[in-house]
Amino acid sequence: MNFPHKLIFYALGIFVCYFYFGIMQEKITRSNYGEGDKKERFTYTLSLVFVQCVINAVFAKIMLATFMNQGHDETKQKYYGMCSFSYLGAMIASNMALQHVNYPTQVVGKSCKPIPVMILGVLIGRKSYTLLKYLFVLLIVTGVCLFMYKDNKAASDTQSGSLIGMGELLLLVSLSMDGFTGAIQERMRSEHQSKSGHMMLMMNIWSTCYLGVALLLTGEVWKFLVFVQNYPYIIYNILMFSITSALGQMFIFLTVSEFGPLSCSIITTTRKFFTVLGSVIIFGNTLSNRQWIGSALVFSGLILDSCYGKSGPDKKK
């Protein structure tokens, strides 16, 4: 497969996997199960992320044993333990947010990820950034503020009357955890040259252990099994959610390793926009004109940052 065809193939892989991943995520967490007075929602976030981490770990192990041999890993386990804790917290908070906000809001809100990554990268990872980087991040922040802003009517619809709801609060927690994850990963790369395959494997193994303990202590695993028994058709959705997540990570790794992070960033940013558009069309999530403008600013900032916002001193020569 020659150069352009391979890049197109990888891009289509990322688009298809994460587009379907987003559909499954919203379908699992926002659907009504049962009928009449017995209607209920899926609230077993720990169990959902547990299945996702198990499949991701198995997939990473298979990749490392076959076409992605990355040699011996010398990264300290304490880094994997800390990194997986924040990585896990971000995933759980992000999935829980979907119980309160629609998928477009979650996607656009998570697009603020560069902000905590930059802040904690400076504080923990000792990184520095160019002026353009800060300008592009400011563009992203402006877009997210426009998208998330609640007008008077929307604010009056909330029970608490607060400026942000539970969904937005959970997205802030998820973003904070993303910042810690990015900072710790920078430290791992600088000290041990940690490879992506080993990182994916060990972080998912640690996350599986954390979640296994949490599921037993909270007793959620038994409620989850009862829910699955009552609605067995959800098994397909959960498996497809987890498998597309693992396949998407594989295509991202292949794109980065063969075509560089810039190509990957542009592809994933474009993918997010079409995921929002698909959610609006498929699930009927309507967006106001202000939210469309905010979305345009966010994705413009992300694309510009991918093209021109590289770190100065940290950029490889």
Side-chain angles (χ1 to χ4, degrees), residues 12-27:
L12 285 174
I14 293 172
F15 267 71
V16 172
C17 289
Y18 280 106
F19 184 81
Y20 201 65
F21 168 84
I23 291 174
M24 289 295 102
Q25 188 179 39
E26 186 158 15
K27 194 170 185 179

Side-chain angles (χ1 to χ4, degrees), residues 207-222:
S207 297
T208 300
C209 294
Y210 286 142
L211 285 167
V213 173
L215 285 171
L216 292 175
L217 290 177
T218 60
E220 181 186 304
V221 61
W222 314 119

Side-chain angles (χ1 to χ4, degrees), residues 279-299:
S279 179
V280 170
I281 295 171
I282 295 171
F283 294 99
N285 292 313
T286 57
L287 300 181
S288 65
N289 291 334
R290 169 177 48 77
Q291 288 179 309
W292 279 115
I293 293 172
S295 299
L297 290 176
V298 169
F299 293 117

Side-chain angles (χ1 to χ4, degrees), residues 135-152:
L135 290 175
F136 296 148
V137 169
L138 179 62
L139 186 62
I140 295 169
V141 174
T142 303
V144 171
C145 289
L146 277 176
F147 189 95
M148 307 285 277
Y149 173 75
K150 296 180 183 295
D151 54 30
N152 292 332

Side-chain angles (χ1 to χ4, degrees), residues 166-209:
M166 179 58 71
E168 289 82 359
L169 183 61
L170 286 166
L171 286 176
L172 287 175
V173 172
S174 179
L175 288 168
S176 300
M177 293 295 101
D178 282 332
F180 280 108
T181 302
I184 296 169
Q185 285 176 332
E186 285 294 339
R187 184 67 67 88
M188 291 162 64
R189 291 191 191 99
S190 63
E191 293 184 9
H192 302 284
Q193 292 75 50
S194 304
K195 301 293 192 303
S196 56
H198 294 300
M199 200 177 294
M200 179 180 173
L201 173 64
M202 294 309 303
M203 284 176 62
N204 280 288
I205 288 177
W206 273 90
S207 297
T208 300
C209 294

Side-chain angles (χ1 to χ4, degrees), residues 52-286:
Q52 182 184 4
C53 289
V54 169
I55 291 180
N56 282 348
V58 171
F59 203 83
K61 184 66 176 177
I62 293 172
M63 288 193 298
L64 286 170
T66 53
F67 66 90
M68 201 175 80
N69 185 5
Q70 294 184 337
H72 181 65
D73 181 27
E74 298 182 352
T75 307
K76 294 177 182 177
Q77 288 299 313
K78 69 174 184 180
Y79 282 154
Y80 282 133
M82 292 187 294
C83 195
S84 62
F85 187 82
S86 57
Y87 160 79
L88 185 59
M91 280 202 297
I92 292 173
S94 181
N95 279 282
M96 288 178 67
L98 282 173
Q99 297 172 22
H100 306 278
V101 299
N102 57 32
Y103 192 70
T105 301
Q106 189 227 43
V107 172
V108 175
K110 287 287 286 182
S111 297
C112 272
K113 183 177 177 179
I115 301 168
V117 170
M118 283 177 62
I119 294 172
L120 289 167
V122 171
L123 296 176
I124 300 177
R126 300 185 182 91
K127 289 179 68 66
S128 59
Y129 299 95
T130 64
L131 177 60
L132 279 177
K133 182 81 171 179
Y134 290 107
L135 290 175
F136 296 148
V137 169
L138 179 62
L139 186 62
I140 295 169
V141 174
T142 303
V144 171
C145 289
L146 277 176
F147 189 95
M148 307 285 277
Y149 173 75
K150 296 180 183 295
D151 54 30
N152 292 332
K153 182 180 182 300
S156 64
D157 290 338
T158 61
Q159 293 180 351
S160 61
S162 59
L163 293 177
I164 63 171
M166 179 58 71
E168 289 82 359
L169 183 61
L170 286 166
L171 286 176
L172 287 175
V173 172
S174 179
L175 288 168
S176 300
M177 293 295 101
D178 282 332
F180 280 108
T181 302
I184 296 169
Q185 285 176 332
E186 285 294 339
R187 184 67 67 88
M188 291 162 64
R189 291 191 191 99
S190 63
E191 293 184 9
H192 302 284
Q193 292 75 50
S194 304
K195 301 293 192 303
S196 56
H198 294 300
M199 200 177 294
M200 179 180 173
L201 173 64
M202 294 309 303
M203 284 176 62
N204 280 288
I205 288 177
W206 273 90
S207 297
T208 300
C209 294
Y210 286 142
L211 285 167
V213 173
L215 285 171
L216 292 175
L217 290 177
T218 60
E220 181 186 304
V221 61
W222 314 119
K223 297 177 183 177
F224 170 72
L225 292 175
V226 171
F227 188 91
V228 170
Q229 186 176 7
N230 292 335
Y231 311 104
Y233 58 87
I234 199 177
I235 296 175
Y236 171 82
N237 294 340
I238 292 175
L239 286 176
M240 291 307 299
F241 166 81
S242 303
I243 291 170
T244 51
S245 170
L247 286 172
Q249 287 189 17
M250 180 196 73
F251 281 114
I252 284 176
F253 168 77
L254 290 172
T255 304
V256 171
S257 62
E258 295 190 33
F259 300 101
L262 175 58
S263 298
C264 185
S265 296
I266 293 172
I267 291 169
T268 53
T269 300
T270 310
R271 186 275 304 174
K272 287 180 181 179
F273 175 78
F274 283 104
T275 299
V276 170
L277 186 62
S279 179
V280 170
I281 295 171
I282 295 171
F283 294 99
N285 292 313
T286 57

